[in-house]
Amino acid sequence: MASTSSLALSQGLLSRAISPNGSENHASVPPFSVLKSTSPRATFLHSQRRASTSSHSLRPLVRAAAVEVTDATTDSTLVDKSVNTIRFLAIDAVEKAKSGHPGLPMGCAPMSHILYDEVMRYNPKNPYWFNRDRFVLSAGHGCMLQYALLHLAGYDSVREEDLKSFRQWGSKTPGHPENFETPGVEVTTGPLGQGIANAVGLALAEKHLAARFNKPDNEIVDHYTYSIIGDGCQMEGITNEVCSLAGHWGLGKLIAFYDDNHISIDGDTEIAFTENVDKRFEALGWHVIWVKNGNNGYDEIRAAIKEAKAVTDKPTLIKVTTTIGYGSPNKANSYSVHGAALGEKEVEATRNNLGWPYEPFQVPEDVKSHWSRHTPEGAALEADWNAKFAAYEKQYPEEAEELKSIISGDLPAGWEKALPTYTPESPGDATRNLSQQCLNALAKAVPGFLGGSADLASSNMTLLKASGDFQNATPEGRNLRFGVREHGMGAICNGIALHSPGFIPYCATFFVFTDYMRAAMRISALSEAGVIYVMTHDSIGLGEDGPTHQPIEHLSSFRAMPNIMMFRPADGNETAGAYKIAVTRRNTPSVLALSRQKLPQLPGTSIENVERGGYTVSDNSNGNKPDVILIGTGSELEIAAQAGEELRKEGKTVRVVSFVCWELFDEQTDEYKESVLPSDVSARVSIEAGTTFGWGKIVGGKGKSIGVDSFGASAPAGKLYKEFGITVEAVVAAAKSLI
Amino acid sequence: MASTSSLALSQGLLSRAISPNGSENHASVPPFSVLKSTSPRATFLHSQRRASTSSHSLRPLVRAAAVEVTDATTDSTLVDKSVNTIRFLAIDAVEKAKSGHPGLPMGCAPMSHILYDEVMRYNPKNPYWFNRDRFVLSAGHGCMLQYALLHLAGYDSVREEDLKSFRQWGSKTPGHPENFETPGVEVTTGPLGQGIANAVGLALAEKHLAARFNKPDNEIVDHYTYSIIGDGCQMEGITNEVCSLAGHWGLGKLIAFYDDNHISIDGDTEIAFTENVDKRFEALGWHVIWVKNGNNGYDEIRAAIKEAKAVTDKPTLIKVTTTIGYGSPNKANSYSVHGAALGEKEVEATRNNLGWPYEPFQVPEDVKSHWSRHTPEGAALEADWNAKFAAYEKQYPEEAEELKSIISGDLPAGWEKALPTYTPESPGDATRNLSQQCLNALAKAVPGFLGGSADLASSNMTLLKASGDFQNATPEGRNLRFGVREHGMGAICNGIALHSPGFIPYCATFFVFTDYMRAAMRISALSEAGVIYVMTHDSIGLGEDGPTHQPIEHLSSFRAMPNIMMFRPADGNETAGAYKIAVTRRNTPSVLALSRQKLPQLPGTSIENVERGGYTVSDNSNGNKPDVILIGTGSELEIAAQAGEELRKEGKTVRVVSFVCWELFDEQTDEYKESVLPSDVSARVSIEAGTTFGWGKIVGGKGKSIGVDSFGASAPAGKLYKEFGITVEAVVAAAKSLI
């Protein structure tokens, strides 16, 4: 420890040495600091940024600080004490819950102590402060680590009683980190690899905003993104996908700690994970640092972070070799400490081993006092930034307006007027093309609108024509190029969406390949990230590519998922209507299933109608009692409409209904629902080129559903529709059998 | 070309020089050959294997052969001609279909010509010959490459008329390779990354069988697995997952060609893919070779294959730099040749450019004659192997019996008797534990039964106690350790299942993480690979881990998927019954959703009943007219049964029905269905701790469904059941409201 004591520790010690009284507003704030400054000058972040990337300018500071440190041993002991506090808060909470994962917090306490106490900039009293550093615990099962840190740092979301109700009903401390439950938690993790992907999204968001909004005299966007990933994350394919992109994009302000503890649930990682991770990350374009002693090599950790910050053109992986369950005499370094409470006896043994005399959940006074400075420091950081923003706003009012919209989520007035509208006379087109008109219109009207495709931009029709590509050298571009990495794409978009409320990311692939990204889409839904999924080639209508590419069960599978809207628009108006809602509903992701094939603009559709989810497109009946109701979605609404015409020619009264979004229909009043689907009318026929699974609820016990309940086939689309019986004739026949 | 003309080519030429008459059975067979031998001696494969891994022993042969070659220039021209035949068959078929991907076949024709013509061992007239080399086109969109090769090699599945009906209804040549349509195609590819994962499974299967069955004097199992992967595959996370495992397992007989053409759909791979692939693969434990001239560097390709075979302890990646659309003067090396027909004019220009005077679909006579030897050679290879097997069977009857079961798919008589049965008095247990009893019983009874978990063996309860781990040094083990790589796990199991009909792989993770592997599971269903998915922790009943880990929509999402059986067993008998069907149905994958929590053994359940999918567990009514039908699955069948008891106490007639597998119920006769769910009884209540989506079809318009239609929460399981209303009281109340 002693002689190599580094910059960051020195500064922490220095601040304490100078300000022994610790009065709330000023005393514990260091008078000068590279990593945490309260200088009211609007340019401090700029100078900080320069300083952190230039080791030369720092050296005199380091030496000066080191000289002034009075009692390094005591203070190193205090760090130990803080680190052990984190360990025991995790141990105690898991023990009380009799459930949870103590191993990771015990091993990662040192690196995370340094991060939260010495490195990261945040305001505990406003977890949503825009310019905060972001932290993502990708190994989300170790969430007690993060709860302990938030607790020590002074976040109101995690008080002692919250720690005591870890993993209990209604608590702020659920079994994995959930952004929607616990302010201070940025994203929802647990499913492995999602977190690091979110972190890539957060870092992308920062790089993009910095490029768009920073000025030489005012770098208003400037934060780091940190993440802790474990062996489990490393094994997941999504991690390789997003880390390849992070390297490609040169996300220099992304710093990931790899908790290299050699243990996973099934035992030693030797049994399934013997690749050379360092070399892989170098191949992916990362800077790699190895901290060999992650258990108490505080200075090694500090030096690594410093080095990582100095590398501005690459993301950095800091491999930190740790002992899982560090401190537990009988369970450390074994899988048994990964995912279960230590047990009363082993907790006692660990207390003895680490010399911990405190009560369960007790934070020693000196540790408490040490951490207390983060509240005033954080407030000062935010106040400084606010002053800086005020100056920015004065000098760059237009940019400030845009940035404010992204920060606040307040959309520019009248944005929705940008959406195109259509009449039945407008030329027919594939909804994927109509979607592109919407995307380009929205990009102009909504500052935080951006996105891209997983190497299918020219098929998904997702290019924003007025913008360039987001690339390492052109990060202001709003076209994201994800390569063939669907899973990573979705999870990166979650990170972008959760960076700031006004970010509205969209991403695209063929609808069938939602199977590759479903885990990320579910996290969108769960974590209330309003990502827009632009999913083209939405049925057997894609034709020759065949059954590997033809979605069948996918509409149904998303209708079954909570908090996600599944749209299948039939034409231009419905496509625009779907986008209107997708943009408006920031806490609910949307999936748009769009056709490859050309479709007509239908009479009776409108943007407003889409908001009802299901609505009458045409009707020749009176008194809400048609002979039959024909219900279609997307490309089959046209077929339903044509069948309706046929039946009307034969004197039937027919209602044709579009069911563009089941979730929105579910939200309507019973009265409205009855007006569309009167309970007295049991003659109902649905048609949709996908599974009939789930339609029973809409057509009722006596209705009929026309769909495709097997896999598709490779042939031209028209042939497939005929062979699979998705035809006007089939609808007419089904209707007649019911009337 | 000339002076460096290599081993394999020389041999091809030699065989032609020596056997100019080409009579079907013998003439075109080379009298000695390293890569293809027809020596009737049973040990030939053994000597071949030694030879191919020892360059020393080959040299004299090479020289001898080279000396005997009469006209190297002509023959090199013949190779060119064969390569161009492949190119034009692809061009012509795509042109005729006006749909498809000519670019990859045009670029990969050289490497694939060498593979199919000079390297691979197969019997075109029996595509299912057990000991064939396997080939997987992971970049499946380039399927015309494979169809052209199968056509030239003499497979009956791809005749000229099949090439002419490329991508048409009912053809053998669909838009992506489909094993169930085209004999000679091993697996179903197209969704990127799946193919290389399947190839890892195929290579694992070979290594496993070789370790279990080969004898020093009779290496009865001995084949290579080849694959071509593209830039798209390389970007997918699943590829990294499975290649990490392939390196870990040391799959030395897996040789993957990476078609390094720098073009993907969105343009140059520079825009999204700039990592160092070679270095990444080295990090993953692969041997990496770079062929710089993949367009016509035939000898480079041959040398690379030779080198790859010599490296027996690692899989090999041969990076072959090619030009996509090679030969097309205006479209080569651009994305425009990737996925669309060249167009009449460019086809003409390409003909001129490559000097191709032949008609569309025409195979020049000398090319045809050159390839014709594969029919007799293949027959001889199989005959040799059959002789070898006869010797093996004589000497090792027990092993032969087991191996035959794996090769044929014929299960040992009475295997199903190994399954445990239970009575209501048997101790209650979690179905995940009961599942482990079945897995261990089946492993003893069924030789091809093997599998493992994605790092959750101790949670999924999937370890086979009588077996060791499949590892590099112990490949005879039947416990597969996949690490945290769900997607790769599923796709590897597809490869194992499709290696031989008697392989029955199972794989396991938490049910919610099917989201990570859904793309692979869909390919199981589509490609008729009878993988068994052991999915534990199947509801909010898992408790504290919270909503990231609690499946809600998953049961429904698989019920909606074609050709997959979704089981949710309630107790020991139902678990055993589910396994019985899962093992029996080799062309349909099964998903078993299993509880973390303990459940009682229920009266009325049985293995046989499970075969009906839905059946009556108890009933106190007469004449098929109960007052109410209560329907449960899995852990909620107990609740339904208890509610039934409550209602019966109040004098109601109640039928309790288990709906363990909807797909099997759908297969029953209308009469049987009516006997379980009489249409007159509309008072039906379903209870399942998952989404109610889809239950409308079962309970009908007047029934009620109790379930969980939002995300779950983190709390003890009992608390969650209460809070989410999955209770006896709720069922009783719902039933009363309907009676």
Side-chain angles (χ1 to χ4, degrees):
Chain A
M1 254 314 310
S3 68
T4 57
S5 119
S6 82
L7 170 65
L9 175 63
S10 306
Q11 286 171 341
L13 299 174
L14 176 63
S15 95
R16 293 184 56 262
I18 293 172
S19 313
N21 302 324
S23 86
E24 203 187 353
N25 282 322
H26 301 287
S28 69
V29 175
F32 65 94
S33 163
V34 172
L35 292 176
K36 297 199 194 69
S37 164
T38 56
S39 156
R41 290 168 48 232
T43 53
F44 94 94
L45 287 169
H46 181 58
S47 58
Q48 183 276 335
R49 191 153 173 272
R50 270 192 298 118
S52 69
T53 60
S54 155
S55 56
H56 293 292
S57 63
L58 293 180
R59 280 190 190 132
L61 275 182
V62 178
R63 288 199 200 98
V67 169
E68 290 187 64
V69 169
T70 48
D71 185 354
T73 317
T74 314
D75 287 293
S76 148
T77 307
L78 185 61
V79 175
D80 276 340
K81 211 165 170 182
S82 170
V83 166
N84 281 335
T85 304
I86 296 167
R87 290 190 175 118
F88 281 98
L89 287 177
I91 290 170
D92 295 339
V94 173
E95 200 62 24
K96 184 162 191 298
K98 297 200 195 322
S99 168
H101 300 75
L104 182 141
M106 293 165 76
C108 290
M111 66 179 106
S112 63
H113 163 88
I114 289 170
L115 261 184
Y116 265 81
D117 189 50
E118 301 176 7
V119 176
M120 278 173 57
R121 296 172 304 173
Y122 55 86
N123 180 7
K125 298 307 174 196
N126 177 11
Y128 302 109
W129 170 45
F130 166 74
N131 202 43
R132 69 193 181 276
D133 286 337
R134 266 68 170 180
F135 173 78
V136 176
L137 184 64
S138 189
H141 51 274
C143 56
M144 260 313 303
L145 178 76
Q146 197 168 5
Y147 300 148
L149 292 163
L150 294 175
H151 178 59
L152 291 174
Y155 284 76
D156 296 329
S157 47
V158 188
R159 298 172 182 272
E160 187 177 325
E161 58 265 33
D162 299 304
L163 295 175
K164 287 180 174 166
S165 59
F166 179 53
R167 294 187 151 224
Q168 302 309 304
W169 179 259
S171 82
K172 292 279 171 211
T173 48
H176 289 83
E178 294 166 359
N179 59 303
F180 52 95
E181 293 285 5
T182 318
V185 171
E186 302 288 351
V187 296
T188 293
T189 58
L192 294 173
Q194 299 294 329
I196 181 65
N198 296 164
V200 171
L202 292 166
L204 179 156
E206 195 271 349
K207 182 164 176 152
H208 174 71
L209 292 180
R212 264 173 78 180
F213 295 106
N214 283 0
K215 303 293 178 181
D217 63 345
N218 194 331
E219 300 202 335
I220 192 68
V221 183
D222 174 27
H223 71 77
Y224 285 86
T225 301
Y226 300 97
S227 184
I228 294 180
I229 63 183
D231 286 304
C233 293
Q234 286 290 19
M235 290 187 248
E236 291 285 6
I238 183 176
T239 301
N240 198 70
E241 291 182 6
V242 300
C243 290
S244 180
L245 281 171
H248 172 74
W249 287 327
L251 300 178
K253 289 164 88 176
L254 172 63
I255 300 176
F257 296 80
Y258 164 33
D259 176 28
D260 170 48
N261 65 31
H262 286 280
I263 296 293
S264 68
I265 294 177
D266 279 352
D268 196 295
T269 52
E270 275 298 310
I271 68 172
F273 186 50
T274 50
E275 64 176 59
N276 186 331
V277 173
D278 309 34
K279 193 170 171 181
R280 176 160 61 90
F281 270 77
E282 283 166 11
L284 299 179
W286 285 54
H287 182 66
V288 178
I289 305 170
W290 183 16
V291 170
K292 288 179 187 163
N293 175 8
N295 292 331
N296 35 43
Y298 304 131
D299 284 345
E300 274 185 72
I301 295 169
R302 292 181 182 111
I305 296 171
K306 190 177 155 191
E307 181 180 328
K309 288 189 168 188
V311 176
T312 58
D313 60 342
K314 288 178 177 187
T316 295
L317 182 79
I318 305 179
K319 181 170 91 166
V320 188
T321 299
T322 68
T323 303
I324 191 170
Y326 180 88
S328 159
N330 304 302
K331 295 194 168 180
N333 200 29
S334 87
Y335 72 89
S336 64
V337 78
H338 166 85
L342 291 181
E344 206 177 320
K345 231 170 124 180
E346 188 64 13
V347 171
E348 201 47 40
T350 307
R351 282 179 195 278
N352 290 335
N353 188 40
L354 293 178
W356 197 251
Y358 304 98
E359 293 299 305
F361 298 101
Q362 188 183 345
V363 178
E365 280 309 313
D366 45 356
V367 171
K368 205 179 278 183
S369 148
H370 175 73
W371 280 83
S372 68
R373 74 185 189 290
H374 289 287
T375 294
E377 271 190 34
L381 280 169
E382 181 168 355
D384 286 341
W385 187 85
N386 287 340
K388 193 173 170 177
F389 189 80
Y392 185 91
E393 198 166 17
K394 210 165 167 183
Q395 208 169 346
Y396 310 104
E398 273 178 44
E399 290 92 329
E401 190 69 18
E402 284 210 345
L403 181 55
K404 264 163 79 175
S405 165
I406 292 172
I407 293 175
S408 66
D410 296 334
L411 297 173
W415 66 272
E416 71 278 6
K417 292 188 190 112
L419 286 167
T421 57
Y422 303 84
T423 69
E425 289 69 42
S426 306
D429 209 343
T431 47
R432 62 173 169 156
N433 293 331
L434 299 161
S435 158
Q436 189 171 35
Q437 296 174 10
C438 294
L439 291 172
N440 277 281
L442 288 167
K444 273 184 207 154
V446 178
F449 199 81
L450 82 177
S453 160
D455 195 47
L456 288 169
S458 52
S459 289
N460 302 141
M461 307 305 293
T462 47
L463 272 190
L464 303 177
K465 292 168 185 170
S467 180
D469 282 2
F470 175 90
Q471 293 288 358
N472 194 348
T474 55
E476 70 282 2
R478 287 157 76 181
N479 283 305
L480 307 179
R481 301 290 201 164
F482 291 103
V484 192
R485 303 179 182 96
E486 298 82 6
H487 197 180
M489 172 172 73
I492 287 172
C493 285
N494 285 337
I496 298 172
L498 295 174
H499 182 280
S500 295
F503 262 125
I504 306 182
Y506 66 90
C507 64
T509 183
F510 292 158
F511 189 31
V512 79
F513 297 140
T514 51
D515 285 348
Y516 274 70
M517 59 196 301
R518 196 170 166 91
M521 295 174 80
R522 189 174 205 260
I523 297 278
S524 300
L526 176 61
S527 68
E528 303 176 359
V531 176
I532 302 176
Y533 291 92
V534 180
M535 297 292 136
T536 71
H537 297 59
D538 73 342
S539 76
I540 54 167
L542 63 85
E544 289 88 344
D545 273 345
T548 53
H549 284 54
Q550 290 162 354
I552 297 292
E553 68 278 18
H554 299 74
L555 291 164
S556 172
S557 79
F558 288 107
R559 287 172 185 149
M561 188 183 279
N563 196 39
I564 195 164
M565 284 179 296
M566 179 69 247
F567 290 96
R568 190 159 186 258
D571 65 1
N573 286 330
E574 286 201 351
T575 303
Y579 273 109
K580 184 180 170 194
I581 294 155
V583 167
T584 311
R585 300 263 184 125
R586 294 290 72 232
N587 296 329
T588 304
S590 298
V591 187
L592 278 72
L594 302 167
S595 77
R596 174 182 188 242
Q597 70 273 32
K598 189 170 162 178
L599 303 174
Q601 308 291 352
L602 297 168
T605 64
S606 74
I607 290 181
E608 294 67 38
N609 275 328
V610 173
E611 292 172 29
R612 304 293 203 136
Y615 64 95
T616 299
V617 173
S618 68
D619 194 349
N620 66 332
S621 73
N622 287 314
N624 205 21
K625 279 200 177 172
D627 294 333
V628 64
I629 303 175
L630 308 181
I631 309 165
T633 77
S635 43
E636 287 70 67
L637 185 57
E638 178 194 4
I639 296 177
Q642 287 176 356
E645 285 309 306
E646 292 293 319
L647 290 162
R648 285 170 193 151
K649 277 183 204 159
E650 299 181 24
K652 311 294 183 201
T653 60
V654 182
R655 174 175 299 171
V656 176
V657 168
S658 170
F659 239 65
V660 58
C661 179
W662 295 27
E663 294 82 4
L664 289 173
F665 187 74
D666 278 348
E667 290 178 7
Q668 306 305 310
T669 61
D670 287 346
E671 197 187 345
Y672 176 77
K673 288 180 190 170
E674 180 70 17
S675 78
V676 178
L677 298 178
S679 30
D680 283 353
V681 181
S682 67
R684 303 177 187 180
V685 178
S686 72
I687 179 158
E688 184 173 73
T691 181
T692 58
F693 190 88
W695 276 102
K697 185 176 132 188
I698 311 290
V699 299
K702 295 184 179 159
K704 289 198 172 173
S705 291
I706 295 169
V708 182
D709 287 320
S710 64
F711 288 108
S714 174
K719 178 74 176 169
L720 292 174
Y721 267 69
K722 210 168 165 182
E723 292 289 343
F724 283 101
I726 312 298
T727 60
V728 172
E729 295 70 41
V731 178
V732 169
K736 284 184 178 172
S737 77
L738 298 176
I739 298 175
Chain B
M1 254 318 307
S3 68
T4 57
S5 118
S6 83
L7 169 65
L9 175 63
S10 306
Q11 285 169 344
L13 298 175
L14 176 62
S15 93
R16 292 183 56 258
I18 290 173
S19 313
N21 300 325
S23 86
E24 203 186 356
N25 281 324
H26 301 286
S28 69
V29 175
F32 64 95
S33 162
V34 172
L35 292 176
K36 298 200 194 70
S37 165
T38 57
S39 156
R41 290 167 47 229
T43 52
F44 94 94
L45 286 169
H46 181 56
S47 59
Q48 184 277 335
R49 191 154 170 270
R50 270 192 299 116
S52 70
T53 59
S54 156
S55 56
H56 293 294
S57 64
L58 294 180
R59 280 193 191 128
L61 273 185
V62 178
R63 288 201 200 97
V67 168
E68 291 188 61
V69 169
T70 47
D71 185 353
T73 316
T74 314
D75 288 292
S76 147
T77 306
L78 184 62
V79 175
D80 276 338
K81 211 165 171 182
S82 170
V83 166
N84 281 336
T85 304
I86 297 167
R87 290 190 176 118
F88 280 98
L89 287 177
I91 290 171
D92 295 339
V94 173
E95 200 62 25
K96 182 160 192 299
K98 296 198 193 327
S99 169
H101 301 75
L104 183 140
M106 293 165 76
C108 290
M111 66 178 105
S112 62
H113 164 86
I114 290 170
L115 262 183
Y116 265 81
D117 189 51
E118 302 176 6
V119 177
M120 279 174 56
R121 295 174 303 175
Y122 54 87
N123 179 7
K125 299 305 174 197
N126 178 11
Y128 302 109
W129 170 44
F130 166 73
N131 202 41
R132 69 194 180 276
D133 286 335
R134 267 66 170 180
F135 172 78
V136 176
L137 183 65
S138 190
H141 51 274
C143 55
M144 259 315 302
L145 178 76
Q146 196 168 4
Y147 300 147
L149 293 162
L150 294 175
H151 178 59
L152 291 175
Y155 284 77
D156 296 328
S157 47
V158 188
R159 298 173 182 271
E160 186 176 326
E161 58 265 33
D162 299 303
L163 295 175
K164 286 181 174 165
S165 59
F166 179 51
R167 292 187 154 225
Q168 303 308 305
W169 179 258
S171 82
K172 292 278 171 211
T173 48
H176 289 83
E178 293 167 0
N179 60 301
F180 52 95
E181 292 286 6
T182 318
V185 169
E186 301 286 352
V187 296
T188 293
T189 59
L192 295 172
Q194 299 295 328
I196 180 66
N198 296 163
V200 171
L202 291 167
L204 179 156
E206 195 273 348
K207 182 164 176 152
H208 173 72
L209 292 181
R212 266 173 77 180
F213 296 106
N214 283 359
K215 304 290 178 186
D217 62 346
N218 195 331
E219 300 202 334
I220 191 69
V221 183
D222 173 28
H223 71 77
Y224 284 87
T225 302
Y226 300 97
S227 183
I228 294 181
I229 63 182
D231 287 304
C233 294
Q234 286 289 18
M235 291 188 246
E236 291 285 5
I238 183 177
T239 302
N240 198 71
E241 290 182 5
V242 300
C243 290
S244 179
L245 281 171
H248 172 75
W249 288 327
L251 300 179
K253 288 164 89 176
L254 172 63
I255 300 176
F257 296 81
Y258 164 33
D259 176 29
D260 171 48
N261 65 29
H262 286 281
I263 297 294
S264 69
I265 294 177
D266 278 354
D268 195 295
T269 52
E270 275 297 310
I271 69 172
F273 186 50
T274 50
E275 64 176 63
N276 185 331
V277 173
D278 308 34
K279 193 170 172 181
R280 175 159 63 88
F281 270 76
E282 283 167 11
L284 299 179
W286 285 54
H287 182 66
V288 178
I289 305 170
W290 183 16
V291 170
K292 288 180 189 162
N293 176 9
N295 292 331
N296 34 44
Y298 304 131
D299 285 344
E300 275 185 70
I301 295 169
R302 293 181 181 111
I305 296 171
K306 190 177 157 193
E307 182 180 329
K309 288 190 168 186
V311 176
T312 58
D313 60 344
K314 288 179 177 187
T316 296
L317 182 78
I318 304 179
K319 181 170 91 167
V320 188
T321 299
T322 68
T323 302
I324 190 170
Y326 180 87
S328 159
N330 303 302
K331 295 193 168 180
N333 200 29
S334 88
Y335 71 90
S336 64
V337 77
H338 166 84
L342 291 181
E344 205 178 320
K345 231 169 120 179
E346 188 64 14
V347 170
E348 200 47 41
T350 306
R351 282 181 196 277
N352 290 335
N353 188 41
L354 292 178
W356 197 250
Y358 304 98
E359 292 299 304
F361 298 102
Q362 188 183 346
V363 178
E365 280 310 314
D366 46 355
V367 172
K368 205 178 279 182
S369 146
H370 175 74
W371 280 83
S372 67
R373 75 186 188 289
H374 289 288
T375 294
E377 272 191 32
L381 280 169
E382 182 168 354
D384 286 341
W385 187 86
N386 287 340
K388 192 171 171 179
F389 189 81
Y392 185 92
E393 199 167 15
K394 209 163 169 182
Q395 205 167 350
Y396 310 106
E398 275 178 45
E399 289 92 330
E401 190 70 17
E402 284 211 347
L403 182 55
K404 263 164 80 175
S405 165
I406 292 173
I407 292 175
S408 67
D410 296 334
L411 298 173
W415 66 273
E416 71 279 5
K417 293 189 190 111
L419 286 167
T421 55
Y422 304 85
T423 69
E425 290 69 41
S426 306
D429 208 342
T431 47
R432 61 172 169 157
N433 293 331
L434 299 162
S435 158
Q436 188 171 34
Q437 296 173 11
C438 294
L439 291 172
N440 277 281
L442 288 168
K444 271 182 210 155
V446 178
F449 199 81
L450 82 177
S453 159
D455 195 47
L456 287 169
S458 52
S459 289
N460 300 141
M461 306 307 291
T462 48
L463 272 190
L464 303 178
K465 291 168 186 171
S467 179
D469 283 0
F470 175 90
Q471 293 287 359
N472 194 349
T474 55
E476 71 281 3
R478 288 158 73 181
N479 283 304
L480 307 179
R481 301 291 201 163
F482 292 102
V484 192
R485 303 180 183 96
E486 298 83 6
H487 196 180
M489 171 172 74
I492 287 171
C493 285
N494 286 337
I496 298 172
L498 295 175
H499 182 279
S500 295
F503 263 127
I504 306 183
Y506 66 90
C507 64
T509 183
F510 292 159
F511 189 31
V512 79
F513 297 140
T514 50
D515 285 348
Y516 275 69
M517 59 196 301
R518 196 168 166 92
M521 296 174 79
R522 190 176 204 258
I523 298 278
S524 301
L526 177 60
S527 68
E528 303 176 359
V531 176
I532 302 177
Y533 291 92
V534 180
M535 297 292 135
T536 72
H537 297 60
D538 73 342
S539 75
I540 55 168
L542 64 85
E544 291 88 344
D545 273 344
T548 53
H549 284 52
Q550 290 162 354
I552 297 294
E553 68 279 17
H554 299 73
L555 291 164
S556 171
S557 79
F558 287 107
R559 288 173 184 150
M561 188 183 279
N563 196 40
I564 194 165
M565 284 180 296
M566 179 68 248
F567 291 97
R568 192 159 185 258
D571 66 0
N573 286 332
E574 286 202 350
T575 303
Y579 274 108
K580 184 179 171 195
I581 294 156
V583 167
T584 311
R585 300 263 184 128
R586 292 291 72 231
N587 296 329
T588 304
S590 298
V591 187
L592 277 72
L594 301 166
S595 77
R596 174 183 188 242
Q597 70 273 29
K598 189 171 164 176
L599 304 175
Q601 308 291 354
L602 297 169
T605 64
S606 74
I607 290 181
E608 294 66 38
N609 275 329
V610 173
E611 292 171 29
R612 303 294 202 136
Y615 64 95
T616 298
V617 173
S618 67
D619 194 348
N620 67 333
S621 73
N622 287 315
N624 205 19
K625 277 198 179 176
D627 294 334
V628 64
I629 303 175
L630 308 181
I631 310 164
T633 77
S635 42
E636 287 71 65
L637 184 59
E638 176 193 7
I639 296 177
Q642 288 176 356
E645 285 308 308
E646 291 295 318
L647 290 162
R648 285 169 193 151
K649 278 182 204 158
E650 298 180 26
K652 313 294 184 202
T653 59
V654 182
R655 174 176 299 170
V656 177
V657 168
S658 170
F659 238 66
V660 58
C661 179
W662 295 27
E663 294 82 2
L664 289 173
F665 187 75
D666 279 346
E667 290 178 7
Q668 306 305 311
T669 61
D670 286 346
E671 196 185 347
Y672 177 77
K673 288 181 190 169
E674 181 70 17
S675 79
V676 179
L677 298 178
S679 29
D680 283 354
V681 182
S682 66
R684 304 177 186 180
V685 178
S686 72
I687 180 160
E688 183 173 74
T691 181
T692 59
F693 189 88
W695 276 100
K697 184 176 131 187
I698 311 291
V699 299
K702 292 181 180 162
K704 289 196 173 175
S705 292
I706 296 170
V708 182
D709 288 320
S710 63
F711 287 109
S714 173
K719 179 72 176 168
L720 291 175
Y721 267 70
K722 211 168 162 181
E723 292 290 343
F724 284 100
I726 311 297
T727 60
V728 173
E729 296 70 38
V731 177
V732 169
K736 285 184 176 171
S737 76
L738 298 176
I739 298 175

